[in-house]
Amino acid sequence: MSLERTAFDNTYARLPRRFYARITPDRVPAPDLLAWNDELALDLGVQLTCDDDEALAQIFSGNRIPAGAEPIALAYAGHQFGHFVPQLGDGRAALLGEVIDCGEQRRDVQLKGSGQTPFSRNGDGKSWLGPVIREYLISEAMHHLGVPTTRALAAVATGEIVYRESALPGAVFTRVASSHIRVGTFQYFASRGDRSGLKSLADYAITRHYPEAAEEEKPLRALFRKVMDRQAALVAHWMDIGFIHGVMNTDNTSISGETIDYGPCAFMDEFRFDKVFSSIDHTGRYAYDRQATIAQWNLARFAECLLLLDDDQSAYEEELDRFSAHFHSYYTARLRRKLGLTIEQQDDADLLRGWLGYLQREELDYTVSFRRLGARLGEKGPPEFGSFEHRWKQRIESQPEGVEEIRRTMDSVNPLYIPRNHQVERAIAGAVSGDMSTFHELLSALKQPFREKPGMAHYAAPPLPEQRVTRTFCGT
Ligand code: AMP
Ligand code: MG
């Protein structure tokens, strides 16, 4: 089967015309396939071998539109850093269409950086290679860490120069998502007082993502509850692995509960509760430890939209009030597992706080420290983690499982390999100079993040002082 014969089954393009604009991706001069995700392609039922690199480059640069694709740019609005923008929309993206994957799941296939759309405002609709490589590596890392996320199918260099602060090589990224419906999509219709559009969108979102909600007495409230639950679980998972999204605007909040829009996101090296990387986040609005609060704020904006169709404010307030407890139960369950605690105890929260406080005070690497802590179970000698280690070991010894078993469990949730900023930057620098070897090597480490691999120690190591990256950029 080739992509040509992959049956697209486009439902979003059947929604009312004001939901999107039909577009044609730009032609690019010299498409060159830099990366192709074979495993994902198989999942999608898109079976193209490496012999077809040229065909893939043509399709995933936007030069050739496969049969059945209907490129559209989606309309949406959103709160950016707390300020409402009534019209954002896909300014540099083209949804080619939807495919049904091998697990019977509907997935969007979208080109990013394929040229201007009616939503581009002053942007060129293009992307340079840097953010393409970044999103590829980080979204795939997230997937292999078990975090719900959009995926990376392809990266294609265009042979075109795009102008940012300087002239840079252009590229197109192919993103696969369970949908591109955002809180901001609901806001687009709500802010226009378009109740009929809002109703169509809500029905569509329920059918596509939460069909069981349709069976409930109040389907919209059920939809809200389910979206809220997935956001609570998602942010807990981010915090588990030291991930900072960086731009948790409502247009970057997916209704499906997937992580979407890898802009100035980053994984922490040394732990800090209030860590911020994004160069545009001047107030720390989207700092590491504010992510749950912000998710709840975004959900409040979602509730405001649904209220136009289901006018019971106190019901939505009640739901929202549950978010925090909900998030905390996901988060503590995750952290307890990372520390090998199998029996819940009164002082767990205190133990967790003690550990994180210790990491912050000592400026220790988040990822390495969890992994080292597990290794301490089989080791003698002076403690590596101060008085915390003694207290923690006592707890572990009071549990019925053997230390080997506990260590194995810890190793299965505490990764060795994460896409550290300095390595991602190295992969980008390589790609810009035409060398994809760092990209591929790093990607292979990230595909099995919990398993130690020979020759890969440098990908597990924190940056040296001169390698530290302290700022990340949206940089599209
Ligand atoms: P994001 O940073 O991906 O959340 O994008 C915010 C908004 O800016 C969206 O409406 C994007 O489509 C738009 N945008 C970002 N980069 C570009 C670009 N190069 N050209 C046109 N629109 C863009
Ligand atoms: Mg966005």
Side-chain angles (χ1 to χ4, degrees), residues 163-458:
Y163 296 91
R164 297 294 179 260
E165 274 96 54
S166 58
L168 295 160
V172 174
F173 176 75
T174 303
R175 170 160 77 184
V176 173
S178 49
S179 88
H180 284 86
I181 308 170
R182 308 146 189 269
V183 167
T185 319
F186 282 83
Q187 291 180 292
Y188 181 85
F189 297 104
S191 68
R192 283 162 178 73
D194 182 352
R195 292 182 72 241
S196 132
L198 199 58
K199 177 76 171 63
S200 304
L201 180 64
D203 289 346
Y204 180 85
I206 288 175
T207 308
R208 185 156 173 180
H209 295 298
Y210 306 98
E212 65 286 3
E215 311 300 320
E216 295 200 28
E217 193 190 331
K218 303 272 185 192
L220 290 173
R221 231 163 286 171
L223 168 68
F224 183 73
R225 203 176 306 123
K226 286 164 195 292
V227 171
M228 187 168 93
D229 181 61
R230 293 215 191 155
Q231 284 294 316
L234 182 67
V235 174
H237 210 156
W238 289 352
M239 293 182 67
D240 170 332
I241 53 173
F243 178 78
I244 306 167
H245 183 284
V247 254
M248 289 179 70
N249 294 332
T250 55
D251 55 302
N252 295 336
T253 304
S254 171
I255 295 301
S256 75
E258 286 179 342
T259 312
I260 190 167
D261 272 18
Y262 292 88
C265 61
F267 280 75
M268 272 195 286
D269 297 303
E270 78 282 0
F271 180 76
R272 273 194 71 89
F273 286 106
D274 62 354
K275 191 83 178 173
V276 177
F277 285 94
S278 169
S279 62
I280 52 170
D281 190 0
H282 305 296
T283 60
R285 180 181 170 89
Y286 300 141
Y288 174 77
D289 68 347
R290 284 191 39 85
Q291 297 186 106
T293 306
I294 291 292
Q296 188 182 26
W297 191 90
N298 291 341
L299 288 162
R301 307 290 78 75
F302 182 39
E304 283 164 5
C305 298
L306 297 179
L307 279 173
L308 289 185
L309 301 173
D310 175 19
D311 182 19
D312 186 346
Q313 191 160 341
S314 60
Y316 284 91
E317 277 169 3
E318 239 170 72
E319 294 288 350
L320 263 175
D321 283 344
R322 282 196 271 271
F323 178 85
S324 177
H326 223 52
F327 161 76
H328 277 287
S329 75
Y330 279 120
Y331 177 67
T332 34
R334 288 200 162 276
L335 267 281
R336 292 175 64 259
R337 243 159 73 101
K338 284 174 81 71
L339 287 178
L341 307 180
T342 55
I343 299 170
E344 209 167 325
Q345 276 189 21
Q346 276 289 312
D347 65 344
D348 280 357
D350 189 51
L351 197 67
L352 298 182
R353 260 197 311 275
W355 168 244
L356 295 175
Y358 180 82
L359 295 184
Q360 171 161 291
R361 266 193 317 282
E362 302 292 321
E363 301 180 20
L364 293 177
D365 186 89
Y366 183 76
T367 307
V368 168
S369 299
F370 272 102
R371 193 80 183 195
R372 274 301 301 153
L373 191 65
R376 290 298 298 157
L377 284 176
E379 294 173 357
K380 303 232 166 353
E384 220 172 282
F385 298 101
S387 58
F388 169 83
E389 188 174 322
H390 180 67
R391 187 179 161 202
W392 171 75
K393 270 191 172 162
Q394 277 186 334
R395 254 307 287 283
I396 294 291
E397 279 155 18
S398 75
Q399 297 181 163
E401 302 83 2
V403 287
E404 252 324 297
E405 185 184 341
I406 292 174
R407 187 188 166 174
R408 265 200 309 279
T409 315
M410 288 177 72
D411 281 357
S412 74
V413 293
N414 293 322
L416 270 162
Y417 308 110
I418 52 164
R420 292 180 184 271
N421 268 315
H422 67 295
Q423 298 292 6
V424 174
E425 297 291 322
R426 265 186 66 222
I428 293 171
V432 168
S433 68
D435 174 5
M436 292 294 289
S437 60
T438 302
F439 170 91
H440 288 295
E441 206 179 81
L442 176 55
L443 185 61
S444 79
L446 298 172
K447 278 184 183 174
Q448 292 183 309
F450 302 103
R451 186 180 314 162
E452 194 163 354
K453 279 189 275 300
M456 292 287 187
H458 54 301

Side-chain angles (χ1 to χ4, degrees), residues 19-145:
F19 277 59
Y20 56 84
R22 291 197 185 278
I23 52 163
T24 309
D26 287 352
R27 286 195 65 82
V28 303
D32 179 21
L33 187 71
L34 298 178
W36 173 249
N37 192 337
D38 266 318
E39 288 158 49
L40 178 59
L42 278 173
D43 263 6
L44 295 179
V46 181
Q47 295 167 22
L48 286 170
T49 61
C50 295
D51 303 342
D52 293 315
D53 274 13
E54 221 158 285
L56 291 175
Q58 289 294 341
I59 293 167
F60 295 103
S61 62
N63 271 6
R64 201 163 94 214
I65 303 304
E70 296 172 274
I72 54 175
L74 275 48
Y76 56 85
H79 274 89
Q80 298 191 308
F81 289 89
H83 303 286
F84 186 63
V85 184
Q87 179 163 313
L88 289 164
D90 289 332
R92 51 155 167 189
L95 176 62
L96 288 180
E98 300 151 33
V99 297
I100 309 294
D101 70 15
C102 300
E104 299 293 306
Q105 295 298 309
R106 181 175 295 278
R107 318 273 290 266
D108 278 6
V109 181
Q110 188 204 53
L111 304 180
K112 236 174 129 181
S114 55
Q116 285 179 323
T117 77
F119 306 111
S120 295
R121 291 168 296 165
N122 297 320
D124 60 1
K126 306 279 182 181
S127 182
W128 78 277
L129 188 51
V132 169
I133 295 292
R134 252 182 96 71
E135 176 154 359
Y136 200 118
L137 288 170
I138 302 181
S139 65
E140 285 304 297
M142 293 287 270
H143 168 74
H144 293 287
L145 286 163

